[in-house]
Amino acid sequence: MTYCVGMRINRGLVFMSDTRTNAGVDNFATTGKMFTWTIEGERKITIMTAGNLATTQAMISLLEERSKAVEDRDPSILRQNTMFQVARLVGATLKEVISDSSPNGQTSDDQFHASIIVGGQISGGKPTIFMIYPEGNFIEITDDTPFFQIGETKYGKPILVRAYDPEMSFEDAVKLLLVSFDSTVKSNLSVGLPFDLEIYETDTYNSDRHKRIDASDPVYQSISNGWGDALKDAFQKLPTYRI
Amino acid sequence: MTYCVGMRINRGLVFMSDTRTNAGVDNFATTGKMFTWTIEGERKITIMTAGNLATTQAMISLLEERSKAVEDRDPSILRQNTMFQVARLVGATLKEVISDSSPNGQTSDDQFHASIIVGGQISGGKPTIFMIYPEGNFIEITDDTPFFQIGETKYGKPILVRAYDPEMSFEDAVKLLLVSFDSTVKSNLSVGLPFDLEIYETDTYNSDRHKRIDASDPVYQSISNGWGDALKDAFQKLPTYRI
C-alpha cells in the first residue's frame, strides 16, 4: 500500500508521502513516491504516486522522457502553460501506461491501476492540486475539499478532517500530517517510514524545502509518542456517558 | 456498510453497533444489528452482524428457530454448554445460509458474505467474544486483542488502539466507543445513528443494560462536538516541527 497526502493551506501547499512498497508482507522495500520538477522563478510541480509500482515508475519515466538520450530530453511537463494542462498530461500518460499493461484496457480495479496526486504552481496561475484516476480523468482541490489522500486513506482521515484549518502555519500543517501518517503507520504494515515532505510557499517557485523524515527523527518520535498521551488527556476531558 | 465493536474489559463486555443498512446511497434504512438471548442467572449471549442483510436475517431467524411454530421453538443457542459451542453453532449456521444463496459455495468476497461478532457468558465459563468469518471458522478475543470490529473498521480504529485500557470503567468504555463511532459516522455515509449499546457485567447473566443512543442524545452530542475541540487542544500541545 501507500499513503500520500497533498494539502492546500492559505500559505501554500504541503505534500507528504510514505516510502514503503510491497508485494506481500514478505517482500517490501523503500522507494520514493514523490517527484518534483522545478524551473526556478517559473514553476514548481510535485507528483506523488500510489498503486502498481511498475505503472507509476513507467509513468514518471515517460514524463521525464527517459526514452530519449539525455541531451535530447525536454520533458513536456515543463512546457505546459497551466497546472490544468499538467494534470491532463499526467492523466493521459497514466492511462497510456495502464493500457499498455492491461490486455482489456484500464479500469479502476485493475491490478495495474495507480492513483496520482499532482500539485504545484506555474507562473500566472495559483497553486493547486489535482487527484488523477487510473482512467486519466481528474478532480481539483477546492476550499471545501482542501486535501487529497491516496493509498491507505482511512486511518489518517479523521484527524485531518477535525484539525485542518486553512489559516494554519506550515509548521502546524506538517505536524498535522505527521499525526495522520503516524496513525496510519500504526494500523497498516504496508505504510512505513521514512516520509518524504515537500513544502511549497505560494509564488516562490523554488524547491528548497524538501525533507526526508525517518523513524529516528526526534521531533517525529515525540509527536508519535506524545499523541497517545495527548489523546488520552483529550478523552478524559469529554463528558462521561452515565449508564 | 456497518460498524460494530465488541470489547472486553476487566469488568465485563461492551457491545455497540450502528443501525444503518443500505443498498446504494439512494436506498438506506434503519435496522438493528444487535440480538441478545438471555436466561437470567444462567447465560447471556449477544450477536452483532455485518454484511448481506438477507444472509444475517436468515441466520438470526434460524438461530431463533423461526421455521418452527412458536410453541415448538427451543433455540439451540440456548442449549449449548459453552460460548465456544455457541460460536461453532453460529459459524455453522452462517456457513449454511451463505451456501444456500451462493451457487458455487461460500467465499469471503462473496456478495452474500457476512461477518459476525458473538459474545457473552454461560454459567461456568468466563465472558468472551468471538469473531466469525463467512466460512464459519472463528477467532476468540485475547488480552492482546481485546476488541473485535466488523464492517467499516478503519476510521474508528486508531482511537481504540490508543485509549483502550482493560482497567477502564464501563462509562469510559462507552465514551471510547462513542468517539470511535462518531469518527466513523463522520467519514462514511453508510454508517449511521442510532447506535445500539449493550453492557454485560461479568457473572450477572442479565440483560437490563441495553440502550439505544440517537442523534438527539445530549451526551452523545457533547462528545461528538467536544471531541473536535479536544483533539485540537491535544494537537496544539504536541511539539512543533521546525522546517
Side-chain angles (χ1 to χ4, degrees), chain A residues 118-161:
Chain A
V118 53
Q121 186 178 20
I122 294 176
S123 180
K126 291 183 176 173
T128 189
I129 301 177
F130 295 88
M131 180 156 76
I132 298 173
Y133 298 104
E135 291 83 353
N137 56 349
F138 50 86
I139 55 175
E140 187 173 5
I141 218 159
T142 65
D143 290 341
D144 295 321
T145 309
F147 56 84
F148 286 138
Q149 304 168 285
I150 53 176
E152 175 54 277
T153 62
K154 294 188 176 183
Y155 297 112
K157 189 177 180 190
I159 183 63
L160 291 181
V161 171

Side-chain angles (χ1 to χ4, degrees), chain A residues 152 154-155 162 171-172 175-176 182 199 213 217 219 222 224 231-232 235 237-239 241 243, chain B residues 152 154-155 162 171-172 175-176 182 199 213 217 219 222 224 231-232 235 237-239 241 243:
Chain A
E152 175 54 277
K154 294 188 176 183
Y155 297 112
R162 299 274 198 173
E171 283 78 8
D172 276 354
K175 187 162 80 170
L176 175 57
D182 185 54
I199 291 172
I213 300 168
D217 184 292
V219 182
S222 65
S224 176
L231 271 188
K232 282 182 189 170
F235 180 70
K237 280 183 205 143
L238 290 177
Y241 203 97
I243 44 177
Chain B
E152 175 55 277
K154 294 189 176 184
Y155 297 112
R162 300 274 198 172
E171 283 79 7
D172 275 354
K175 188 162 81 170
L176 175 57
D182 184 54
I199 291 171
I213 300 168
D217 185 290
V219 182
S222 65
S224 177
L231 270 188
K232 283 182 190 171
F235 180 68
K237 279 182 207 143
L238 290 178
Y241 202 94
I243 46 176

Side-chain angles (χ1 to χ4, degrees), chain B residues 70-87:
Chain B
V70 176
E71 62 272 19
D72 293 337
R73 289 180 196 166
D74 178 20
S76 52
I77 199 168
L78 297 179
R79 285 181 279 107
Q80 307 300 313
N81 293 321
T82 65
M83 285 302 298
F84 181 82
Q85 289 178 357
V86 168

Side-chain angles (χ1 to χ4, degrees), chain B residues 44-97:
Chain B
K44 168 69 185 293
I45 299 167
T46 300
I47 287 181
M48 295 185 294
T49 63
N52 184 295
L53 185 61
T55 295
T56 58
Q57 286 193 345
M59 184 199 77
I60 296 295
S61 294
L62 284 174
L63 289 173
E64 291 184 329
E65 300 203 331
R66 287 180 57 190
S67 57
K68 296 184 183 176
V70 176
E71 62 272 19
D72 293 337
R73 289 180 196 166
D74 178 20
S76 52
I77 199 168
L78 297 179
R79 285 181 279 107
Q80 307 300 313
N81 293 321
T82 65
M83 285 302 298
F84 181 82
Q85 289 178 357
V86 168
R88 285 183 58 159
L89 172 68
V90 173
T93 308
L94 176 64
K95 183 178 174 178
E96 176 192 333
V97 171

Side-chain angles (χ1 to χ4, degrees), chain B:
Chain B
M1 209 86 170
T2 285
Y3 185 37
C4 302
V5 181
M7 178 185 284
R8 184 173 71 182
I9 55 178
N10 290 351
R11 289 173 170 78
L13 308 176
V14 187
F15 303 89
M16 193 177 282
S17 67
D18 86 314
T19 55
R20 183 162 292 172
T21 59
N22 75 306
V25 290
D26 55 350
N27 184 2
F28 68 95
T30 299
T31 307
K33 303 166 188 176
M34 184 186 286
F35 307 87
T36 59
W37 290 261
T38 311
I39 299 177
E40 292 284 336
E42 197 258 340
R43 72 180 59 203
K44 168 69 185 293
I45 299 167
T46 300
I47 287 181
M48 295 185 294
T49 63
N52 184 295
L53 185 61
T55 295
T56 58
Q57 286 193 345
M59 184 199 77
I60 296 295
S61 294
L62 284 174
L63 289 173
E64 291 184 329
E65 300 203 331
R66 287 180 57 190
S67 57
K68 296 184 183 176
V70 176
E71 62 272 19
D72 293 337
R73 289 180 196 166
D74 178 20
S76 52
I77 199 168
L78 297 179
R79 285 181 279 107
Q80 307 300 313
N81 293 321
T82 65
M83 285 302 298
F84 181 82
Q85 289 178 357
V86 168
R88 285 183 58 159
L89 172 68
V90 173
T93 308
L94 176 64
K95 183 178 174 178
E96 176 192 333
V97 171
I98 297 176
S99 296
D100 285 350
S101 304
S102 305
N104 304 316
Q106 79 292 339
T107 58
S108 271
D109 54 356
D110 196 286
Q111 60 171 317
F112 304 109
H113 80 155
S115 299
I116 309 291
I117 289 175
V118 54
Q121 187 178 18
I122 294 176
S123 180
K126 291 183 175 173
T128 189
I129 302 177
F130 294 88
M131 179 155 76
I132 297 173
Y133 298 104
E135 291 83 353
N137 56 348
F138 50 83
I139 55 176
E140 186 173 6
I141 219 157
T142 65
D143 291 340
D144 294 319
T145 306
F147 55 84
F148 286 138
Q149 304 168 285
I150 53 176
E152 175 55 277
T153 61
K154 294 189 176 184
Y155 297 112
K157 189 177 181 191
I159 183 64
L160 291 181
V161 172
R162 300 274 198 172
Y164 172 85
D165 179 350
E167 297 289 335
M168 69 201 316
S169 66
F170 282 123
E171 283 79 7
D172 275 354
V174 172
K175 188 162 81 170
L176 175 57
L177 289 175
L178 283 176
V179 171
S180 176
F181 272 67
D182 184 54
S183 293
T184 308
V185 165
K186 283 196 163 54
S187 297
N188 189 328
L189 284 178
S190 70
V191 178
L193 285 103
F195 304 141
D196 280 324
L197 165 68
E198 178 86 31
I199 291 171
Y200 176 72
E201 192 173 345
T202 303
D203 295 339
T204 57
Y205 307 105
N206 65 25
S207 62
D208 51 356
R209 297 177 86 176
H210 183 87
K211 181 158 187 170
R212 179 160 278 201
I213 300 168
D214 63 27
S216 66
D217 185 290
V219 182
Y220 169 68
Q221 285 185 341
S222 65
I223 288 176
S224 177
N225 298 329
W227 184 237
D229 294 334
L231 270 188
K232 283 182 190 171
D233 288 349
F235 180 68
Q236 290 306 328
K237 279 182 207 143
L238 290 178
T240 295
Y241 202 94
R242 298 278 160 219
I243 46 176

